[in-house]
Amino acid sequence: MSDKTEVNLSGVKESKGVWLVKVPKYLSQQWDKATEKGEVGKITIGKKQGKTEVRFSLNAELCALGAVGEKDGSLQVPRDHPFTMHTVGGQTMAVFSQSDTDGISLEGTVVHRAECRPVVNDNYMKLKKLQIKESAKPQRLSQQLERAVTTVFKPVANHDFNVDYEKKKKSEGKMVRAERQVVLDMLFSAFEKHQYYNIKDLVDITRQPVTYLKEIMREIGTYNSKGAHKSTWELKPEYRHYQSAEEEEEMETT
Amino acid sequence: MTSLGSSSSSTTEYIVRVPKNTSKKYNIMAFNAGDRVSCSTWTQARMERDMSARRIYGEEETPEGAAGSEFGKKQREEARRKKFGIVTREFKAEDQPWILKVNGKAGKRFKGLKKGGVTENASYYIFTQCPDGAFEAFPVHGWYNFTPQAKHRTLTAEEAEEEWGRRNKVVNHFSIMLQRRLREQERGEDEEDEGEKSGKKKKKGGGARGGDLRIHDLEDELEMSSDDSDSSMGEDGESKTKAKKDTGKGKAKKKKRKSNESEALEDSDDGDYEGLEVDYMSDESSSDEEPEKGKPSKGEDLPKGIDEASESEEESEEEKQNDEEAKEEEEEEEGKKTPVQMEKKKKKDSSGESDSSDDSDIEGETASALFMKKRTPPKRGGGRGSAGSSRTGSRPGTPSIDSASTSNTLRAAASKLEQGKRQTQGPATDSPAAKRLKMETSSQSPVPSGKSTPQPPSGKSTPSSSDVQLTEEAVRRYLIRKPMTTKDLLKKFQTKRTGLSSEQTVNVLAQILKRLNPERKNVNDKMHFYLTE
């Protein structure tokens, strides 16, 4: 994404102060249901006997704990949420935003921290009870079945895929020895792509019987029994002329 | 915005909006309180993801295609991983830490690590006030804790541990990093000179550290450096742990050497082992001891031998011979079964458990003649002490298998040297058993030795009943090897060991010298004799 993006420091320059508010999950869920305009509620900031009081009250239509529009009368999300405000203390907290178009920018510094708490009433308690029940449900469930499931595995004389495999084998037929030169050509072109091959892979590629192929390989190649590329065949040095990748690139550019 | 007028309270209402369609993702950049970061002072800032963890995840070094690649390697690797159930975590660029550089190259650097679990149970929102007075709430996408990164040099974990161990001694803490910096400089300069320099630096360091006891260690080290293999100083002279090990080793060796030397110098307490009670089962213990002690001092001796090639060899060999002779003499005198211990002294590389001194004679001397390099430590007086105590009275006549084998192997050489070197009592017989028996009998009773043996051209067999004899052969050997003064020669044939009085020794020696007619050379104002073969 962004490599070394210059951070837009306009936010801090203006000393924009923001509030960091911790909001309960259910409330944020309700907020997600808000309309396009995005209005979710109102904040009232008041001074009551010298103390600053902040309250948030949720919009009426968002109080329903169901889909919007559906008046589910059973449960209502509480409406009033007083904020508990804290100062930031010594800690500096800044807010930076990341966007695909504009890059990274510093939006501002946090001046107050707040927690959004609902007013505790019966309604809230019911809501909480519901939530607890939900979360207490185990993710996995063992369930006893009355009848055995008979739809999945049936005994079969020969499995489908097995049948197909045998048919394929039959159709391909036995591998016939091709001309030596032809096989050599195939091998060389294969070794151009990769350096090390397993004998099985070579058989696959060339469609030649193993003994014949081994014979040819013994002629032009060596077998690695140890080392990094174990049990693989590779061409003898005189037959190969690999170039390293860089050299190839250079050759291409020049 | 409505305001309700009230006497004691004034409230203002603001609308809260949660914008839906922002492409911007908001994150928190949290700093530590103690760092006192003030964002307003920043003039310029750059931020990027720290992708250094990517290499750990994507380590596919095998070239794709052409040279060096295998057909179907990837699939095979994947299949293998699945088989073993190796689950590699994806490298998510989103979760990588940030690197924040403030105020350009010279400014501060911060690393921001993502804090987990922020959005799990509660959501954070950023409330900003818009110009129109309403609040806008943005959800916080991620929380990053930014910590300043040290630009100054720090100690590595090993070094830190080391320093921790020395915290009580070190007073001047500033010197710690200084030393490290200097060390790093040297490392860059010259690899070879490293050892010397670090030695010097250590000395300096030793001085600089108030109250540090390094100076003594260093002295030991310097002393030992000539003895120890040079690699120990040169390789990693910097790391103090290594130095400590070296000093430890050096000290141990020094102690050993000292103890060895002291024990070797202090002449055998012949009567010490007379009344001691001995286990018949104690063989193993002493044999265990012997090899152990043999090994460290062997190690000590070998490099020494390499460094100061001929001189030390000769010396130590002569010493060894002296010891041999001394022990042989002891046996005769004591009439103890100290052949065993002498045996052990001689045949450290082979077994430790041979009994016959006869064999030991030949073998020892053949060994000395043939295997010049194998310096079986003659200085190991300590071994002798313990061996002696446990050995005296141990089974006299039982020929151990080891001695037989060694005697067999060396018999060819032994037979050659028998003539020249045979100083033993008893007739010359080939069978080891017979030899041994003879030795037993002879050792049991101090029998006048050697005259009956077919003496070699050397002829001059002294009337001594010991195995160490002041023969022409012996003198010749010494003189061939190294120019010696008369004093030295006398030292070699100590009266205790040859059984002659000092006057007799002098006379005999004089006669021998007359006969040999060695060449003379003046070294350090002293007349040295020597022979050239």
Side-chain angles (χ1 to χ4, degrees):
Chain A
M1 227 192 90
S2 51
D3 301 317
K4 268 283 176 103
T5 27
E6 187 74 39
V7 177
N8 180 358
L9 292 170
S10 54
V12 264
K13 294 288 184 196
E14 299 160 21
S15 303
K16 246 173 131 187
V18 296
W19 289 2
L20 180 67
V21 183
K22 193 171 184 185
V23 172
K25 267 282 179 200
Y26 68 85
L27 196 59
S28 61
Q29 278 166 7
Q30 296 302 100
W31 286 0
D32 288 338
K33 297 182 199 164
T35 58
E36 192 54 49
K37 211 169 149 213
E39 271 195 32
V40 290
K42 286 199 270 282
I43 275 191
T44 44
I45 302 175
K47 247 201 157 75
K48 241 186 191 168
Q49 286 114 20
K51 276 202 188 151
T52 327
E53 213 185 68
V54 184
R55 307 184 81 92
F56 171 75
S57 74
L58 191 61
N59 276 352
E61 59 265 22
L62 287 172
C63 281
L65 188 67
V68 178
E70 199 183 289
K71 253 305 164 90
D72 185 9
S74 51
L75 270 180
Q76 294 263 315
V77 167
R79 228 174 145 195
D80 271 333
H81 298 82
F83 276 19
T84 38
M85 307 284 288
H86 314 281
T87 51
V88 169
Q91 190 179 21
T92 333
M93 280 192 284
V95 180
F96 71 97
S97 70
Q98 210 183 333
S99 82
D100 304 324
T101 49
D102 300 330
I104 302 174
S105 67
L106 218 55
E107 297 292 329
T109 43
V110 175
V111 285
H112 280 114
R113 286 186 79 157
E115 280 158 27
C116 188
R117 299 209 141 100
V119 174
V120 180
N121 49 22
D122 285 339
N123 200 17
Y124 181 65
M125 285 309 177
K126 280 192 210 148
L127 177 73
K128 275 291 152 188
K129 215 191 322 187
L130 196 70
Q131 267 185 6
I132 290 169
K133 279 194 187 147
E134 278 287 327
S135 59
K137 260 193 236 169
Q139 279 174 333
R140 292 164 197 207
L141 179 66
S142 304
Q143 192 181 25
Q144 190 181 26
L145 302 170
E146 301 92 31
R147 303 188 64 208
V149 179
T150 51
T151 51
V152 191
F153 294 114
K154 281 204 184 116
V156 138
N158 203 0
H159 288 286
D160 285 338
F161 70 84
N162 226 358
V163 167
D164 292 337
Y165 181 70
E166 279 164 13
K167 240 190 250 169
K168 191 169 75 100
K169 278 272 156 160
K170 267 238 158 105
S171 67
E172 278 176 13
K174 291 220 165 147
M175 299 186 277
V176 190
R177 289 191 182 196
E179 284 293 308
R180 200 183 188 82
Q181 201 49 51
V182 177
V183 178
L184 280 170
D185 286 337
M186 276 198 280
L187 285 173
F188 283 128
S189 59
F191 276 103
E192 257 171 49
K193 296 197 209 96
H194 296 273
Q195 188 178 352
Y196 301 98
Y197 278 88
N198 220 339
I199 192 69
K200 282 196 207 145
D201 298 326
L202 285 174
V203 166
D204 226 8
I205 294 171
T206 57
R207 318 282 327 128
Q208 299 293 296
V210 182
T211 42
Y212 184 49
L213 193 58
K214 266 200 195 164
E215 215 185 284
I216 299 179
M217 277 313 297
R218 238 173 263 136
E219 191 192 318
I220 59 163
T222 51
Y223 183 70
N224 286 321
S225 51
K226 295 177 258 222
H229 311 274
K230 225 181 352 157
S231 56
T232 55
W233 284 88
E234 60 170 340
L235 286 180
K236 286 193 184 148
E238 53 264 24
Y239 287 100
R240 52 177 141 118
H241 53 96
Y242 293 120
Q243 286 168 330
S244 63
E246 296 115 30
E247 283 180 31
E248 281 179 6
E249 279 177 25
E250 280 180 31
M251 287 184 56
E252 279 172 24
T253 50
T254 51
Chain B
M1 211 159 45
T2 56
S3 47
L4 302 167
S6 174
S7 50
S8 58
S9 64
S10 55
T11 55
T12 41
E13 248 187 39
Y14 306 92
I15 295 175
V16 176
R17 279 199 300 266
V18 177
K20 285 270 179 174
N21 51 359
T22 45
S23 56
K24 278 188 178 181
K25 290 202 185 118
Y26 283 77
N27 302 286
I28 299 281
M29 183 193 286
F31 296 94
N32 216 355
D35 297 334
R36 307 231 189 283
V37 177
S38 169
C39 294
S40 43
T41 60
W42 296 353
T43 50
Q44 181 221 47
R46 277 186 201 278
M47 205 149 105
E48 57 175 354
R49 289 273 184 197
D50 177 16
M51 297 295 206
S52 55
R54 199 200 277 276
R55 335 179 234 106
I56 303 171
Y57 282 100
E59 42 186 342
E60 289 297 322
E61 288 145 22
T62 54
E64 316 271 324
S69 72
E70 256 188 61
F71 178 80
K73 182 83 182 177
K74 263 198 201 150
Q75 290 91 324
R76 219 176 308 154
E77 275 300 314
E78 211 185 298
R80 190 175 151 271
R81 276 220 195 91
K82 277 205 184 143
K83 175 170 133 192
F84 291 121
I86 299 169
V87 177
T88 42
R89 261 181 285 158
E90 265 180 54
F91 173 84
K92 283 188 224 145
E94 272 281 302
D95 295 342
Q96 299 309 305
W98 287 102
I99 293 195
L100 171 67
K101 291 176 198 160
V102 178
N103 295 339
K105 200 92 206 254
K108 292 198 188 145
R109 284 192 82 183
F110 294 91
K111 186 161 181 182
L113 295 158
K114 188 163 190 185
K115 184 167 149 180
V118 171
T119 48
E120 272 167 17
N121 297 319
S123 9
Y124 282 92
Y125 280 80
I126 299 286
F127 277 51
T128 57
Q129 197 162 31
C130 296
D132 67 345
F135 277 90
E136 283 202 331
F138 303 98
V140 166
H141 195 74
W143 187 300
Y144 293 86
N145 288 321
F146 279 76
T147 49
Q149 282 194 309
K151 282 190 169 172
H152 55 267
R153 218 126 10 133
T154 51
L155 297 175
T156 64
E158 291 93 25
E159 288 171 351
E161 283 225 30
E162 219 184 273
E163 293 296 333
W164 175 256
R166 290 196 288 123
R167 67 190 186 281
N168 291 325
K169 299 180 193 167
V170 175
V171 174
N172 181 11
H173 292 281
F174 294 117
S175 65
I176 296 173
M177 289 311 288
L178 181 69
Q179 290 309 309
R180 186 167 176 261
R181 215 170 296 136
L182 291 169
R183 251 180 276 141
E184 284 186 11
Q185 273 182 20
E186 295 152 21
R187 205 184 289 163
E189 284 171 12
D190 196 355
E191 296 282 318
E192 287 181 16
D193 294 341
E194 203 185 70
E196 298 168 353
K197 277 189 192 167
S198 60
K200 281 186 210 153
K201 287 280 151 35
K202 272 214 210 107
K203 215 171 190 175
K204 255 196 244 167
R209 268 151 241 226
D212 207 350
L213 304 175
R214 289 233 116 195
I215 296 176
H216 301 296
D217 294 352
L218 198 55
E219 282 176 2
D220 275 357
E221 240 179 34
L222 290 176
E223 278 182 40
M224 286 293 127
S225 60
S226 58
D227 301 333
D228 283 351
S229 47
D230 291 333
S231 60
S232 68
M233 272 293 277
E235 261 177 23
D236 202 0
E238 299 172 359
S239 91
K240 290 169 195 145
T241 47
K242 185 87 199 261
K244 275 197 180 152
K245 279 185 209 157
D246 287 350
T247 56
K249 241 200 300 175
K251 270 186 185 157
K253 282 191 189 174
K254 204 177 186 187
K255 277 186 201 150
K256 271 219 178 88
R257 187 175 291 165
K258 273 188 184 155
S259 66
N260 292 339
E261 282 169 2
S262 63
E263 284 178 359
L265 289 176
E266 127 203 343
D267 248 344
S268 51
D269 303 325
D270 292 341
D272 273 1
Y273 313 116
E274 290 194 22
L276 289 177
E277 294 180 11
V278 191
D279 263 4
Y280 284 86
M281 310 299 279
S282 63
D283 285 351
E284 289 109 53
S285 60
S286 39
S287 63
D288 282 348
E289 265 178 75
E290 296 283 330
E292 283 169 31
K293 285 215 172 160
K295 273 172 208 156
S297 35
K298 222 195 240 175
E300 171 191 7
D301 283 338
L302 274 173
K304 198 173 177 231
I306 291 166
D307 285 344
E308 313 150 6
S310 55
E311 289 246 332
S312 65
E313 274 185 51
E314 292 165 21
E315 276 174 23
S316 49
E317 186 157 311
E318 283 150 14
E319 280 178 342
K320 185 193 155 202
Q321 285 201 331
N322 273 348
D323 284 0
E324 289 172 16
E325 292 157 7
K327 264 130 230 151
E328 289 163 13
E329 145 91 313
E330 276 172 39
E331 290 166 25
E332 296 307 314
E333 290 184 2
E334 298 171 8
K336 301 281 172 197
K337 307 312 169 243
T338 46
V340 187
Q341 107 204 352
M342 184 190 65
E343 268 297 297
K344 296 182 69 172
K345 299 254 1 143
K346 289 189 180 165
K347 292 196 293 170
K348 272 108 213 152
D349 40 346
S350 51
S351 70
E353 287 196 283
S354 35
D355 287 338
S356 79
S357 61
D358 182 15
D359 287 340
S360 74
D361 263 351
I362 297 169
E363 282 141 22
E365 286 168 48
T366 56
S368 69
L370 295 175
F371 310 107
M372 294 268 251
K373 278 248 166 112
K374 260 196 187 153
R375 204 116 339 281
T376 52
K379 300 174 186 172
R380 248 187 337 94
R384 170 159 62 89
S386 54
S389 59
S390 56
R391 279 293 173 169
T392 47
S394 60
R395 317 174 306 293
T398 354
S400 65
I401 301 170
D402 298 316
S403 65
S405 63
T406 41
S407 68
N408 286 337
T409 57
L410 289 170
R411 208 181 303 164
S415 54
K416 277 190 208 164
L417 290 166
E418 251 185 57
Q419 299 172 18
K421 307 213 174 173
R422 204 172 160 108
Q423 299 160 353
T424 58
Q425 321 71 356
T429 51
D430 283 351
S431 65
K435 263 194 227 161
R436 245 174 268 118
L437 279 170
K438 286 258 160 52
M439 264 323 293
E440 260 49 78
T441 52
S442 63
S443 59
Q444 276 168 12
S445 53
V447 159
S449 69
K451 285 202 219 109
S452 50
T453 61
Q455 272 313 324
S458 68
K460 175 80 179 173
S461 47
T462 55
S464 76
S465 57
S466 74
D467 296 335
V468 174
Q469 287 187 356
L470 178 45
T471 61
E472 191 180 332
E473 264 302 307
V475 176
R476 181 195 290 266
R477 239 187 301 124
Y478 289 138
L479 292 180
I480 286 174
R481 218 174 288 128
K482 183 186 166 198
M484 300 182 74
T485 62
T486 45
K487 233 184 184 177
D488 292 332
L489 281 171
L490 279 170
K491 268 195 216 154
K492 294 296 178 190
F493 303 102
Q494 289 187 355
T495 57
K496 277 194 186 177
R497 295 173 179 181
T498 62
L500 306 164
S501 73
S502 49
E503 271 185 39
Q504 276 181 319
T505 325
V506 170
N507 287 340
V508 170
L509 192 60
Q511 286 176 13
I512 293 176
L513 284 174
K514 255 191 232 161
R515 229 183 296 137
L516 284 179
N517 204 12
E519 296 178 324
R520 294 148 193 247
K521 168 167 89 172
N522 237 331
V523 175
N524 297 337
D525 296 332
K526 284 200 198 140
M527 180 67 67
H528 283 65
F529 295 113
Y530 67 101
L531 281 170
T532 48
E533 194 65 82

